[in-house]
């Protein structure tokens, strides 16, 4: 069966520090991968999605970037965090042609 | 661009009662998916139910069912015989056929009262 994991679960970082959140999927190949951010009262905002290794599409211009160095690995990064980057970040994947997302456990980032 | 609107930020209902969560969406497409996702407190978000727009029959999953009104662009979720474990944030979501990027509503926080 397929599983998705992301880490760390919680992270407290000072403004201006770098960020790296990792996500891996097991039990499938060539998944579509996604990074969402969840803010209170604003639902889920799609940040990045990837249909293959090295293929990243950005939905929202911002201080973050994403990379997909391996088929089942998706990384969310920042060189210098801003206060506004605080939030709950969710990684997700979809099997082809279903539209159905499977989510990771989430990473709560607090920037101080 | 598609939009999804959930007009009920919070709801509460007594255990064993029935509750309906509202969702409306806006799209010019004719083929698409609709979803309800559940996010329990401090737990992983999971799919509750999905509906393909070309299907006229409303989807059901045990105690969960939807009322899909395509012309009205409405997609409500009904939870029957509500249980304490149904307490969660519920998100309505939309995706076009062939485009697997979901658009989410802002969520409804549902509390089941013992």
């Amino acid at each position: 069966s397929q599983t998705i994991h992301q880490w760390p679960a919680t992270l407290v970082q000072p403004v201006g520090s770098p960020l790296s959140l990792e996500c891996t999927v097991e039990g499938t190949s060539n998944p579509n991968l996604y990074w969402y951010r969840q803010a209170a009262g604003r639902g889920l905002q799609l940040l990045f999605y990837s249909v293959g290794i090295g293929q990243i599409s950005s939905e929202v211009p911002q201080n973050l970037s994403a990379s997909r160095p391996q088929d089942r690995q998706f990384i969310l990064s920042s060189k210098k965090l801003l206060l506004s980057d605080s939030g709950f970040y969710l990684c997700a994947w979809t099997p082809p042609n279903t539209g159905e997302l499977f989510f990771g456990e989430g990473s709560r980032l607090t920037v101080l | 661009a598609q939009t999804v609107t959930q007009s009920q930020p919070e709801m509460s209902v007594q255990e064993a009662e029935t509750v309906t969560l509202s969702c409306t969406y806006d799209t010019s497409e004719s083929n698409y998916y609709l979803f309800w996702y559940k996010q329990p407190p401090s737990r992983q978000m999971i799919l509750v139910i999905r509906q393909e727009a070309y299907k006229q029959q409303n989807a059901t999953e045990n105690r969960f069912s939807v009322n899909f009104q395509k012309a009205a662009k409405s997609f409500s979720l009904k939870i029957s015989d509500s249980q304490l474990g149904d307490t969660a944030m519920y998100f309505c979501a939309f995706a076009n056929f062939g485009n697997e990027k979901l658009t989410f509503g802002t969520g409804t926080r549902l509390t089941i009262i013992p």
Side-chain angles (χ1 to χ4, degrees), chain B residues 28-78:
Chain B
S28 58
E29 303 293 331
S30 58
N31 293 322
Y32 47 86
Y33 301 103
L34 292 163
F35 307 87
W36 278 99
Y37 280 86
K38 170 185 178 181
Q39 187 179 37
S42 301
R43 294 183 64 184
Q44 206 161 354
M45 187 175 296
I46 58 172
L47 179 69
V48 175
I49 199 166
R50 59 178 279 167
Q51 174 85 39
E52 287 87 354
Y54 67 86
K55 292 185 177 179
Q56 294 184 343
Q57 186 173 8
N58 289 325
T60 62
E61 287 288 344
N62 301 314
R63 297 182 295 108
F64 298 87
S65 62
V66 299
N67 183 6
F68 174 46
Q69 301 291 328
K70 191 172 184 178
K73 297 180 181 175
S74 171
F75 184 61
S76 60
L77 174 69
K78 186 172 81 170

Side-chain angles (χ1 to χ4, degrees), chain A residues 75-96:
Chain A
I75 298 172
L76 183 69
S77 304
S78 174
K79 293 182 178 179
K80 290 184 177 181
L81 285 169
L82 306 173
L83 288 174
S84 58
D85 292 325
S86 293
F88 191 59
Y89 291 83
L90 289 162
C91 181
W93 74 280
T94 55

Side-chain angles (χ1 to χ4, degrees), chain A residues 33-78:
Chain A
L33 296 171
Y34 306 81
W35 278 109
Y36 280 87
R37 177 165 58 198
Q38 183 178 6
R42 295 180 62 184
L44 277 74
Q45 180 186 38
L46 178 62
L47 302 176
F48 300 95
Y49 73 97
S50 172
V51 299
I53 297 174
Q55 301 178 60
I56 309 294
S57 295
S58 174
E59 292 294 303
V60 182
Q62 57 201 326
N63 186 43
L64 303 170
S65 62
S67 61
R68 185 170 177 172
Q70 301 181 41
D71 180 46
R72 292 170 291 171
Q73 183 184 26
F74 205 25
I75 298 172
L76 183 69
S77 304
S78 174

